[in-house]
């Protein structure tokens, strides 16, 4: 008896549907189907805030929220390739002359997951992790900016590279990012996604497409 699924068929990492052969011609190393691709809301706009360009790739939506939950909390490590998929060359162009530093998870979360999400999302890049969290509290669980400020710290004796680009997966209020800015003084920031309310609040800032 033969299986109806051929072993050399390309399957979507998100829904496991077959990837159309035509899509494979247009997108290098395709790992998601067209249906899932269309659920990402590309934003591709940069905002200059306090002298720093902040690049936002996607608008955060329910699809991306579920995807990040699967990836981080359900430990679906195979999803690491889907977040940048065909935008990776764009990411490399923006960060070409910069050292990429990631915003951290707590030790407890990293121990539970067995990996650091932001590092895995950038699995094709050389990244630095000079920061750590001294508490397991999430930004969404605390509205106290000073508390968040005290949760994220810089590692002692860690060589900080020059020309830093700070990376994070989601920006909601920028409280966490402000800690990274204060500790690392990055030249630019690359966000996988930003919440629609955050984006709306930056409508008057200097901005550009990328």
């Amino acid at each position: 008896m033969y299986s109806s699924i051929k072993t050399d068929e390309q399957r979507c990492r998100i829904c496991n549907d077959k990837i159309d052969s035509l899509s494979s011609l247009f997108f290098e190393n395709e790992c998601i189907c067209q249906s899932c691709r269309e659920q990402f809301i590309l934003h591709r706009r940069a905002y200059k805030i306090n002298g720093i360009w902040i690049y936002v790739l996607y608008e955060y939506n329910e699809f991306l929220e579920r995807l990040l939950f699967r990836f981080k909390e359900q430990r679906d490590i195979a999803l690491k390739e889907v977040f940048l998929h065909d935008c990776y060359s764009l990411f490399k162009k923006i960060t070409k002359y910069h050292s990429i530093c990631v915003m951290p998870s707590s030790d407890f979360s990293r121990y539970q997951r067995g990996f650091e999400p932001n590092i895995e999302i950038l699995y094709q890049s050389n990244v630095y992790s000079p920061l750590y969290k001294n508490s397991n509290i999430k930004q969404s669980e605390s509205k106290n900016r000073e508390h968040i400020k005290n949760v994220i710290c810089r590692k002692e004796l860690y060589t900080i590279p020059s020309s830093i680009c700070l990376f994070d997966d989601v920006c909601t209020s920028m409280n966490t990012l402000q800690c990274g800015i204060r500790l690392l003084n990055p030249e630019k920031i690359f966000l996988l996604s930003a919440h629609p309310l955050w984006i709306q609040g930056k409508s008057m800032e200097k901005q550009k497409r990328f």
Side-chain angles (χ1 to χ4, degrees), residues 66-81:
R66 292 194 303 269
L67 205 57
L68 285 168
F69 182 84
R70 249 179 77 184
F71 173 56
K72 295 195 279 190
E73 309 310 329
Q74 296 181 334
R75 307 177 187 88
D76 192 347
I77 192 69
L79 290 176
K80 69 181 183 180
E81 297 181 25

Side-chain angles (χ1 to χ4, degrees), residues 11-151:
R11 292 273 161 181
C12 177
R13 295 292 177 90
I14 299 172
C15 69
N16 203 38
D17 279 353
K18 182 181 176 181
I19 296 175
D20 185 76
S21 57
L22 188 60
S23 295
S24 300
L25 296 176
F26 289 100
F27 301 102
E28 186 179 358
N29 300 322
E30 185 60 293
C31 62
I32 62 174
C33 66
Q34 186 61 29
S35 177
C36 288
R37 175 189 297 279
E38 291 173 356
Q39 295 189 68
F40 286 93
I41 303 177
L42 270 176
H43 188 63
R44 288 188 58 173
R45 190 171 291 276
Y47 303 86
K48 194 168 189 179
I49 301 173
N50 296 327
I52 301 174
W53 280 108
I54 301 178
Y55 294 78
V56 181
L57 184 59
Y58 300 119
E59 183 175 318
Y60 189 67
N61 61 358
E62 289 185 7
F63 172 76
L64 191 51
E65 180 181 17
R66 292 194 303 269
L67 205 57
L68 285 168
F69 182 84
R70 249 179 77 184
F71 173 56
K72 295 195 279 190
E73 309 310 329
Q74 296 181 334
R75 307 177 187 88
D76 192 347
I77 192 69
L79 290 176
K80 69 181 183 180
E81 297 181 25
V82 309
F83 297 104
L84 288 175
H85 49 95
D86 53 299
C87 294
Y88 182 71
S89 58
L90 178 64
F91 171 76
K92 289 295 291 182
K93 180 180 178 181
I94 291 171
T95 62
K96 184 176 181 179
Y97 300 107
H98 295 77
S99 301
I100 306 164
C101 293
V102 297
M103 293 300 293
S105 301
S106 67
D107 289 343
F108 178 78
S109 294
R110 187 167 53 252
Y111 176 78
Q112 279 197 318
R113 295 165 180 158
F115 61 91
E116 181 71 79
N118 280 340
I119 291 177
E120 292 300 328
I121 289 172
L122 303 179
Y123 72 99
Q124 292 177 292
S125 303
N126 293 320
V127 301
Y128 296 85
S129 183
L131 306 176
Y132 71 95
K133 283 186 175 181
N134 59 23
S135 170
N136 190 43
I137 193 168
K138 298 179 181 179
Q139 179 179 319
S140 58
E141 297 171 349
S142 176
K143 296 182 180 180
N144 188 325
R145 181 177 298 181
E146 284 301 311
H147 184 69
I148 293 293
K149 176 181 175 181
N150 294 327
V151 165

